[in-house]
Structure formats: structure tokens, C-alpha cells
């Protein structure tokens, strides 16, 4: 019956002057409509116990009876409500066994949501019908959604979570993550979190555990754990469109896991996601949220080649007219015997462009009407763009051309324009707000399968010297009480006390009228980070420029000091920084002024692979080959398996040799005389800085191997320059500790980190 009805409609359209598909000219039609035959099916659609017509037209009378038109918005809203109401009625009948498919000799098959397809032209139409269905409890899926998952509301939430997990102690990042719509914590719970110290500490600890999970197992397991801890999936699946939101979250999480293999570290992955959110790509289209028993909403374009038991075209009378400042259309090139596209300014060209639009719409209408297996429903009305239009525009649509060849159709004549017996025209069904209650599936679940063996996750993680040394991720340093250099501004309260002690000391000096020196400068991680920032600024400006531009240097120091109310320190710090840039630093057998360094890179980040590195073997090698084998605290046993990362304060080149430099703000005494060779050596041993600079040299060695033609360790590596910033006025040492780890040590470490620990141990 569907094939016969479509044959009758297009046979009627073929009688128009341009033919059904509008190729006919001067009696010649290269693409005529050809009626088709079919074998037919024994299965029959029945609703309320009655067979259904092949094509049913829901006739909406003109909303503006005076002008005989129905505005586009009214048409969209009413037809969406009508279609959704009818679908609910059919599905409720199906639960009672009164709507479905009957076939001789076979059991009756009740109608299911997945048997129904609604064909649309635009996202606006799709949204209208999906919302109407959702209001009535009918779940649907849009099979033609081309939006990017990174343009969804869930993407910024994932970005907030990643930032908080990467820096869980940063309240400015953790608070937005906890308050995100994705976690949907109730406001009273959020208030309790932000006001209660114990609750806040629990949240910080939880996000710290997420960071460990991210580093050891990857970003996908971490995000899944976060979603489970905050019961995100269970909550979303109880909401309308919750399945869509959950699918987006899982889609983004899987994308992040894939991208994590192409970038180095958490921050790089965070930057990649932030960039993708700012510039979403059409390649990252939304995934289908479900293949379950859902009503399908699909564009006519996407439906080509597919078949559905029931098809609804509730907006078949609408059209989008072509036009604009510049339009395109095709003309026949007699020489080439083919059509070519032309671009023209609007005017008469608009008519040509819209004529082509109508022809294409006719071909799409043919696609739409031939998708149904059993029946179609059409929403018809004297359509106009606006309800106050002087007349309807139905004849400008493909459906209007199908009925009347492009000639205007009066509102009162619409129901009579169909060819005999092809379409059953009925009054608009009653809109209902009845909600659909899906039948409960009480089929018992099969018992869960068990793994035949225990799955052991590989202990893969991202390690760094500072994190390991402070004991944050399986302590690497045996002397856990020793205070690390201020690479992490969040250290122990002992540091805060030391900083306060230094502040009181400086205040006492001020009161006595003596000049301030760096030996009275506050101690601890925050002042250390402050000094690092001054040197990073000087390197960025160029050491020579920072030395020469007295006003710019002092102005920058003043700005930094004013933020901490350290105005009394502006001049002492300016003099100290000027001297540091100008004095010759003893580096091995050379004297190097920072102001003479022209090629340098501050805060160089490095990452390299660590394959099951035994820290005991690492410690043995470093102790044997550095600082003449002096006694020092032992490293605790651990395995570095994954990546080793770090930041080098400064890498610089001088006379063809490359050095790593690190700024140390350690306080060794109340005068420059305290910064002797032995005192600095003891501090290096106690803090295990020699392990730090050995790893830095290894990173530089690997980098130069890849980048520098003809690289040779002995020729091109200068060594490690560790500058104790408070000791630059020591006339002998200038506060500099220097060592160049031997080539054999670096080569053995290279092998060790590549995964051949046996060879190194031997």
C-alpha cells in the first residue's frame, strides 16, 4: 500500500509542466518518474485493532482564517505536540496488545518506540519534536546531530575537573570543580565544604588521590573513579536528556585517554582540551547516546537508503527559500555538455537559485516518502513564514509543488488537492499531555561473570624529583623531615615558621638602623619562590638588559615587593640582583658572568620515559660517581615506571658548552662567610641535590643527543651550576657549587632508564 500511494502521488506530480522532479523542458524529460512494483509483505500494521492507511495527512486548518495561513512557528509547535501525542497513544495501545504488527501464523508483535522514525530537515525541527516527546516521557535519539562534543555543556566541566585534579591544593581551581553543574552538589553541601576545614581537607585529599590515579593509570580511569564517587551516572540517568550528558562525558574521557599518548603531562593535556573547547571541530561530533528502544529522529538526508516501519513527516509543508547577497545556481555549458555553478549578486539570480532549491527539495521529498515500510503520517497546513502573511507559501515548498505544480493553493482547497485514494486526510488529532510509561522489564539478570585470573594493573605513573623527594608519591628521600627547595610553595609549617623568623629578624635589623642584607631576607618556600621569579624575569628580559636597565629592574622588583608589603626590601633586593648578574661566578675552571650569557632557556620542562627503574640501583650509581662518594641519606626503595618530569631553572650555553643552573635560596648562616665549599657541599648532600642535578644533566644529555649534530658529552656538556643566592658576596665561592657528573654515570643512567637495570647493576 505504501508503494502504491507513493506511485500515485508522484504520477500526479509527473503531470505538472516541469515533471515530478522538475527536469522537463520543451517536452523533453531526462529524469521522469517511473512507477515501481513490489512483492509486498504479509505483515500488517494495526492500531486499535484496525489496519492503517498507507499515508495519513493530519490537516491543520489555517490559524489565521481571515488570511488563510498558518505561521511557521505555530505549525512547528502544533505539529510537534500532535505527533508526540499520537506516538504516546500508539505506545500505550501497544502495551495492551492493540497496536503492532500482525502476520498470519505468527504471534502479534506490539509496536515499540524503535519502530518509529520522525524525519526532519533542520535541527530546529528536531529539537521541537524531541522536546515534545520528552515532555511526555518518550525517549528519542537524534541520529543526525553534527554538533561537536566539545561544544556541549559537559566539556567545560571536565576541564574544571582536570585542572582541580592536577593541582588539588589550589582552592581557586578546586572550588569551581566542586561547584560544577556536572557534579551537581546541593548548595548546603557546597556551603559546608567551603566553610568546614575538615570537610575541605577531605575534598583536597580525595582530589589528591585522583591525581595519583591519573599519574599511575591514566586520565580515563581517574575520570571514571570521579564519576563513580560523585554518583554522576546514576543521577544523570534519572534526568531527561541525562543519557545524552553521560555519553558526552564518557566520549570526552575516552578522547582524553587517546590524546594522553600524544602529549606530555597533565598540563599539556589540559591545554589541549581547553583549546579544543575554544575551537570545536566538526570531526568530534556527538556520539549516539544509545541504541536502545528509542524513537528515532533523523534528517531526510541521513535517512537515504534506510527503511523504518513507521515514518512521520510532521513538518512536510515547510520550506527554506534560497537567497542572500550572493547566490549560486547551475547553467548548462554547451561546449562542455555539463552544468557549471555560477555565483551572482542577488536580484534575478535569487529566482534561479530558489528554482534549483525547489528541485532539490522534490528529490528529498521522494526520499522521505519512500522510507516507510508500513505507513506514513504527514502534517499539512496552509504554511506561511509568518501568521500575518497576506497569503500562504505552501506552493513554494516541495509538498506544495507535488500537489499543484507550484501554483498557489487556497487554504480551503488543500484537503481536496490529493490524488484520489493516495492519501487519507483527517482532522488534526487532539493534543494530549498523557505521559508514556515504558513497560517494566522484569527479566532476571544473568549472574555476573568472574575473571579466570586476577587482573594486575601495571604500576605506571608520572614521577618528579621534587614530588618524590617530599614523599608525596612514595617518598624517594630517606630524610623525610628535611625541607625541600621551594619548588612546591605548599610545604610544611616548619617552613612557615622559618619564614616568620626571617621576617622578624629583618624587622629587628630595620629597627636597629643597620642595612638589610640577604641573610636577613625571609626564609622558607614562599620567599624562595619569590627570588626564583626575579631571576626568571631577568632571564626572560635578557641578563645583560636586566643589568643595564636600572629603572626597569627596580620597577619590577618594586611591583613584586608591594604585593607582599616588602617595600623595605626593594633597594636591598635591587642591589643583590644587580650584583648577581654582574659578578663572575666560578664555574669549574672558568669565571662566567650571567650578564655575558646570551643563549639561555629559563624553566625548561623535560619528560622522559622510565622503564621499571629501581631507585636503589639509581641511588647506588649516583653515590658512587658524585661528590667523591661522600656519605649521604639513602633513598627509599621504589620503582619509577612511566615518565620522569621536571623543570630546570636555567639551561644556558657558553663557549659551545651547555650548563644546567638551579637557584637555591637555602640559608646557611648569617653572613657570606658561611657559604664555603664544604658548607654548600654538605647542604647538597643533605638535601640530595646531587641526585637532582644528575637527573637534569641526563635530561639535557638526551635532548642534545637528539638536537645537536656531532654531539659529544665530554665536549658539549659543561656541568651543573647550583647558585646559593644568599652567598654571592662570598669572595671565594660566590655561593656557587659546581660539578660535572662523569660521562660513565650519565651513560649508565641512560641504560637504566631505558629498562636494562641488570646491565647497570652488573
Amino acid at each position: 500500500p505504501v508503494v502504491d500511494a507513493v506511485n500515485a502521488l508522484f504520477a500526479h506530480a509527473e503531470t505538472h509542466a516541469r515533471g515530478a522532479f522538475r527536469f522537463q523542458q520543451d517536452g523533453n524529460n531526462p529524469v521522469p518518474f517511473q512507477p515501481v512494483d513490489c512483492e509486498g509483505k504479509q505483515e500488517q500494521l494495526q492500531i486499535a485493532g484496525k489496519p492503517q492507511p498507507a499515508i495519513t495527512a493530519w490537516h491543520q486548518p489555517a490559524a489565521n482564517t481571515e488570511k488563510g495561513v498558518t505561521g511557521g512557528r505555530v505549525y512547528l509547535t502544533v505539529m510537534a505536540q500532535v505527533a508526540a501525542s499520537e506516538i504516546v497513544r500508539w505506545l500505550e495501545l501497544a502495551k495492551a496488545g492493540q497496536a503492532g504488527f500482525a502476520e498470519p501464523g505468527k504471534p502479534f508483535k506490539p509496536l515499540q518506540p524503535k519502530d518509529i522514525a520522525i524525519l526532519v530537515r533542520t535541527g530546529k525541527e528536531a529539537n521541537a519534536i524531541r522536546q515534545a516527546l520528552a515532555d511526555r516521557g518518550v525517549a528519542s535519539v537524534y541520529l543526525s546531530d553534527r554538533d561537536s562534543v566539545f561544544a556541549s555543556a559537559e566539556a567545560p566541566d571536565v576541564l574544571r575537573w582536570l585542572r582541580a585534579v592536577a593541582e588539588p591544593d589550589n582552592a581557586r581551581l578546586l572550588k569551581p570543580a566542586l561547584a560544577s553543574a556536572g557534579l551537581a552538589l546541593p548548595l548546603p553541601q557546597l556551603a559546608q565544604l567551603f566553610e568546614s576545614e575538615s570537610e575541605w581537607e577531605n575534598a583536597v585529599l580525595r582530589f589528591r588521590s585522583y591525581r595519583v590515579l591519573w599519574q599511575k593509570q591514566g586520565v580515563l580511569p581517574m575520570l571514571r573513579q570521579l564519576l563513580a564517587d560523585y554518583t554522576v551516572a546514576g543521577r544523570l540517568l534519572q534526568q531527561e536528556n541525562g543519557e545524552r550528558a553521560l555519553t558526552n562525558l564518557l566520549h570526552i574521557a575516552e578522547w582524553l585517554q587517546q590524546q594522553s599518548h600524544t602529549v606530555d603531562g597533565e598540563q599539556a593535556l589540559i591545554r589541549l582540551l581547553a583549546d579544543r573547547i575554544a575551537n570545536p571541530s566538526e570531526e568530534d561530533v556527538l556520539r549516539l547516546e544509545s541504541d536502545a528502544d528509542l524513537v528515532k529522529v533523523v534528517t531526510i538526508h541521513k535517512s537515504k537508503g534506510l527503511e523504518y516501519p513507521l515514518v512521520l513527516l510532521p513538518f512536510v509543508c515547510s520550506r527554506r527559500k534560497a537567497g542572500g547577497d550572493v547566490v549560486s545556481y547551475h547553467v548548462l555549458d554547451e561546449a562542455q555538455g555539463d552544468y557549471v555553478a555560477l555565483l551572482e549578486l542577488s536580484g534575478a539570480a535569487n529566482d534561479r537559485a530558489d528554482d534549483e532549491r525547489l528541485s532539490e527539495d522534490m528529490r528529498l521529498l521522494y526520499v522521505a516518502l519512500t522510507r516507510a515500510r508500513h505507513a506514513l503520517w504527514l502534517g499539512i497546513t496552509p504554511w506561511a513564514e509568518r501568521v500575518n502573511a497576506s497569503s500562504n507559501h505552501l506552493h513554494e515548498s516541495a509538498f506544495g509543488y507535488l500537489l499543484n505544480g507550484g501554483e498557489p493553493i487556497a487554504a480551503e482547497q488543500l484537503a481536496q488537492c490529493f490524488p484520489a485514494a493516495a492519501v487519507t486526510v483527517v482532522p488534526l488529532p487532539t493534543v494530549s499531555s498523557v505521559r508514556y510509561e515504558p513497560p517494566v522489564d522484569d527479566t532476571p539478570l544473568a549472574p555476573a561473570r568472574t575473571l579466570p585470573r586476577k587482573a594486575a594493573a601495571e604500576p605506571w605513573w608520572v614521577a618528579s624529583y621534587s614530588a618524590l623527594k617530599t614523599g608525596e608519591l612514595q617518598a624517594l628521600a630517606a630524610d623525610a623531615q628535611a625541607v625541600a627547595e621551594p619548588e612546591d610553595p605548599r610545604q610544611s609549617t616548619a617552613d612557615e615558621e622559618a619564614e616568620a623568623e626571617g621576617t622578624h629578624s629583618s624587622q629587628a635589623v630595620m629597627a636597629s638602623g643597620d642595612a638589610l642584607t640577604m641573610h636577613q631576607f625571609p626564609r622558607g618556600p614562599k620567599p624562595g619562590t619569590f627570588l626564583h621569579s626575579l631571576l626568571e624575569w631577568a632571564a626572560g628580559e635578557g641578563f645583560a638588559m636586566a643589568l643595564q636597565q636600572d629603572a626597569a629592574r627596580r620597577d619590577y622588583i618594586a611591583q613584586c615587593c608591594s604585593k607582599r608589603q616588602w617595600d623595605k626590601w626593594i633597594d636591598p633586593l635591587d642591589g643583590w640582583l644587580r650584583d648577581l648578574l654582574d659578578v663572575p661566578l666560578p664555574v669549574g675552571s672558568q669565571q662566567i658572568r650571567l650578564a655575558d650569557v646570551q643563549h639561555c632557556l629559563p624553566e625548561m620542562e623535560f619528560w622522559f620515559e622510565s622503564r621499571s627503574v629501581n631507585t636503589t640501583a639509581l641511588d647506588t650509581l649516583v653515590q658512587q660517581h658524585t661528590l667523591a662518594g661522600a656519605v649521604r641519606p639513602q633513598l627509599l626503595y621504589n620503582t619509577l615506571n612511566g615518565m620522569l618530569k621536571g623543570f630546570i631553572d636555567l639551561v644556558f650555553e657558553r663557549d659551545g658548552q651547555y650548563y644546567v643552573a638551579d637557584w637555591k635560596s637555602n640559608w646557611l648562616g648569617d653572613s657570606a662567610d658561611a657559604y664555603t665549599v664544604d658548607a654548600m657541599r654538605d647542604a647538597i648532600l643533605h638535601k640530595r641535590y646531587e641526585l637532582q642535578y644528575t637527573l637534569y644533566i641526563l635530561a639535557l644529555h638526551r635532548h642534545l643527543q637528539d638536537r645537536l649534530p656531532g654531539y659529544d658529552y665530554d665536549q658539549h656538556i659543561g656541568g651543573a651550576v647550583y647558585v646559593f643566592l644568599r652567598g654571592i658576596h662570598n669572595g671565594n665561592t660566590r655561593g656557587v657549587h659546581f660539578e660535572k657528573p662523569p660521562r660513565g654515570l650519565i651513560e649508565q643512567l641512560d641504560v637504566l632508564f631505558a629498562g636494562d637495570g641488570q646491565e647497570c647493576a652488573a
Side-chain angles (χ1 to χ4, degrees), residues 583-594 596 654-655 731-734:
V583 299
L585 303 178
V587 179
S589 60
Q590 301 186 68
Q591 298 285 323
I592 298 178
R593 291 170 70 241
L594 286 177
D596 295 333
R654 181 71 176 171
D655 297 330
N732 295 320
T733 67
R734 296 299 179 187

Side-chain angles (χ1 to χ4, degrees), residues 101-286:
F101 307 98
E103 185 173 355
K106 293 185 178 181
F108 184 81
K109 292 193 303 182
L111 178 70
Q112 300 180 55
K114 65 182 179 182
D115 297 323
I116 302 169
I118 303 171
L119 304 189
V120 297
R121 287 290 302 273
T122 67
K124 185 177 181 180
E125 293 178 354
N127 290 337
I129 187 63
R130 294 195 70 199
Q131 185 60 55
L133 290 169
D135 291 343
R136 292 161 176 79
V138 179
S140 64
V141 60
Y142 185 31
L143 299 178
S144 306
D145 206 330
R146 301 300 299 174
D147 291 339
S148 170
V149 69
F150 297 106
S152 68
E154 291 71 39
D157 278 349
V158 177
L159 181 60
R160 294 184 187 100
W161 300 342
L162 293 189
R163 285 172 171 163
V165 171
E167 299 182 59
D169 295 285
N170 190 334
R172 289 182 300 173
L173 299 178
L174 183 54
K175 284 185 176 181
L178 293 170
S180 62
L183 297 188
L185 298 179
L187 290 179
Q189 185 178 347
L190 280 176
Q192 180 71 10
L193 265 174
F194 296 161
E195 295 171 3
S196 168
E197 185 174 343
S198 61
E199 293 287 344
W200 179 255
E201 183 62 25
N202 289 337
V204 171
L205 291 174
R206 172 177 279 187
F207 273 74
R208 283 180 183 173
S209 71
Y210 293 151
R211 181 175 61 183
V212 174
L213 186 60
W214 186 354
Q215 293 173 338
K216 288 190 174 183
Q217 296 187 28
V219 66
L220 179 58
M222 180 275 290
L223 285 172
R224 283 188 172 272
Q225 185 63 53
L226 185 150
L227 295 178
D229 288 347
Y230 288 94
T231 61
V232 173
R235 174 175 48 78
L236 288 178
L237 292 178
Q238 294 176 5
Q239 301 174 359
E240 291 183 3
N241 297 321
E243 195 169 18
R244 170 76 274 158
L246 182 59
T247 301
N248 292 345
L249 289 174
L250 297 179
H251 184 178
I252 295 169
E254 290 179 20
W255 179 86
L256 287 166
Q257 183 66 32
Q258 293 171 352
Q259 297 301 315
S260 67
H261 299 297
T262 67
V263 297
D264 293 331
E266 298 99 322
Q267 293 301 330
L269 191 61
I270 289 171
R271 288 193 296 270
L272 187 63
L273 177 59
D275 180 69
R276 191 58 66 94
I277 291 174
N279 304 283
S281 170
E282 292 184 358
E283 298 176 0
D284 304 306
V285 295
L286 293 170

Side-chain angles (χ1 to χ4, degrees), residues 498-511:
E499 180 178 346
E501 178 186 343
T503 303
H504 296 326
S505 175
S506 66
Q507 290 172 347
V509 173
M510 291 180 211

